[in-house]
Amino acid sequence: MTDRNSLSRYKKDDNGVLWIWNYVANARLKAGYKIKTLLHYEQSPFQEISIVDTKGFGKMLILDGTPQISTNEGFIYNEMISHIPIVTHPDPKKVAMIGGGDCGPAREAMKYAGIEQIDVVEIDQRVTEVCRMWLTPSSYYENDQRFHMIHRDGLDWIQENKGSYDVLIIDRPDPAGPGAKLFKPDFYQYVYDCLTNDGVVAFQSGSPYYNISTLKNTVKNLRDLFPIVRPYLVSIPIFPCGIWSFTIASKKWDPLQADLNKLQHKDTQYIDPEIFLASFVLPKYVKNIVDEGTP
Ligand code: SAM
């Protein structure tokens, strides 16, 4: 999807202004982000991590040259990957996330008083530390007794936690680097096994425009296991082409029948009951992709 030689993606233009260029091979598209300051740059044991202050999006986390989240619009991704599965389950007590980063989805989960445990499984401790330093310096959420940070490979962790969680959130990056294993067919079975008998899971499932096989394979693998599988769409300004998909899979509860009175949207910036339902309305070209994913 993206090449891994990301240091070369930082380039100064003729006026000496720094840009980072994200080349998306599938879309034949190169997106440039104008940088005010390169705040942090390192190679961790797992990936290249950088934090930049941009002209357009505020501070941004970049992994292996691919933008992940920004302070100005990260609420869209974080709210949509977390509130929808949490509200779909009528009474979630134990919630876990694979892929931590800035812990944005965990902070959304904390808005639900009924949740008793929030476990965040992140492979790269340096991502957590760097985000803590530059993106979310306030540690208020770390004082929430329900929150546990686990620095493990999500693929190993999930196989040791069978039947444990009411809600899982698979906040995986692109299928490259350490996240590639979170797209393998076996992983979907481990996710199924990790959920309780009426568990619900939401996956980051790629762009419906240029990651078509990611979306199609996610839906197909999930339909082989779960009775209810529904992709839903969001617009994410920092991602090339803008439009993005998540996919919810559920053993019992249908998101379209969820009790939306439970949605904690008083201080959200994207999700409300209308957006919750509207995000499941798919344009015809996306329906064609996911219908082909039907066995
Ligand atoms: N929404 C997040 C936030 O609030 O910053 C962004 C998370 S980013 C899309 C995905 C995260 O998954 C990265 O922090 C990456 O280090 C982590 N990751 C990649 N492969 C992993 C694996 N095998 N197990 C656990 N975490 C993994």
Side-chain angles (χ1 to χ4, degrees):
M1 175 173 313
T2 50
D3 69 68
R4 307 281 317 281
N5 183 20
S6 39
L7 179 58
S8 61
R9 293 184 190 164
Y10 283 99
K11 288 220 169 64
K12 281 194 175 165
D13 65 17
D14 294 344
N15 299 317
V17 177
L18 190 63
W19 292 71
I20 183 162
W21 290 96
N22 178 22
Y23 178 57
V24 184
N26 289 356
R28 274 78 170 165
L29 177 149
K30 206 178 206 185
Y33 303 76
K34 196 171 184 179
I35 291 173
K36 280 202 280 194
T37 320
L38 173 58
L39 296 168
H40 185 91
Y41 187 91
E42 72 176 63
Q43 179 69 49
S44 81
F46 299 99
Q47 57 207 334
E48 182 196 84
I49 306 169
S50 45
I51 303 278
V52 292
D53 196 3
T54 65
K55 296 266 188 190
F57 300 102
K59 293 194 189 112
M60 198 187 276
L61 168 67
I62 298 177
L63 299 177
D64 283 335
T66 304
Q68 304 290 320
I69 199 101
S70 78
T71 49
N72 288 6
E73 51 71 80
F75 61 87
I76 303 173
Y77 185 106
N78 290 334
E79 290 175 15
M80 290 300 281
I81 200 171
S82 53
H83 288 269
I84 289 193
I86 288 170
V87 171
T88 295
H89 193 289
D91 188 24
K93 301 281 184 219
K94 276 183 77 176
V95 176
M97 287 129 210
I98 291 187
D102 185 37
C103 296
R107 292 196 299 278
E108 296 304 316
M110 284 171 198
K111 295 175 179 168
Y112 291 84
I115 294 178
E116 294 171 357
Q117 186 173 327
I118 302 168
D119 295 340
V120 178
V121 184
E122 163 63 54
I123 198 170
D124 192 341
Q125 182 161 357
R126 284 303 297 155
V127 175
T128 315
E129 290 164 356
V130 167
C131 287
R132 176 79 172 73
M133 193 184 315
W134 293 106
L135 295 183
T136 320
S138 160
S139 62
Y140 73 93
Y141 67 93
E142 290 167 1
N143 295 327
D144 189 314
Q145 296 301 308
R146 301 171 296 169
F147 172 75
H148 306 99
M149 191 81 216
I150 300 162
H151 287 119
R152 295 266 323 264
D153 182 340
L155 185 64
D156 295 339
W157 175 86
I158 204 161
Q159 292 174 71
E160 295 165 15
N161 286 279
K162 291 195 193 310
S164 303
Y165 289 88
D166 302 307
V167 172
L168 288 170
I169 295 170
I170 313 300
D171 188 4
R172 56 190 181 182
D174 284 346
K181 58 181 76 167
L182 307 178
F183 291 80
K184 297 251 188 291
D186 284 357
F187 180 67
Y188 298 93
Q189 181 70 55
Y190 300 140
V191 168
Y192 184 92
D193 295 342
C194 179
L195 289 166
T196 50
N197 289 337
D198 66 345
V200 180
V201 55
F203 287 78
Q204 184 283 101
S205 49
S207 163
Y209 188 75
Y210 63 83
N211 297 141
I212 294 171
S213 61
T214 300
L215 175 57
K216 195 181 275 195
N217 291 337
T218 302
V219 170
K220 182 182 178 333
N221 281 303
L222 291 173
R223 283 191 179 145
D224 286 346
L225 296 166
F226 290 84
I228 299 162
V229 177
R230 294 193 186 278
Y232 57 101
L233 297 179
V234 291
S235 297
I236 308 233
I238 64 162
F239 290 175
C241 300
I243 190 158
W244 212 259
S245 78
F246 297 117
T247 300
I248 191 166
S250 172
K251 292 186 181 180
K252 182 166 179 188
W253 311 106
D254 188 340
L256 299 185
Q257 308 294 327
D259 176 5
L260 298 184
N261 292 317
K262 293 194 314 143
L263 182 66
Q264 298 299 307
H265 63 101
K266 207 170 71 187
D267 65 351
T268 57
Q269 294 179 76
Y270 191 86
I271 199 166
D272 64 11
E274 288 80 19
I275 284 289
F276 185 111
L277 291 175
S279 66
F280 288 96
V281 178
L282 306 178
K284 279 173 79 174
Y285 84 96
V286 181
K287 275 192 201 138
N288 288 340
I289 294 169
V290 299
D291 287 347
E292 281 179 37
T294 311

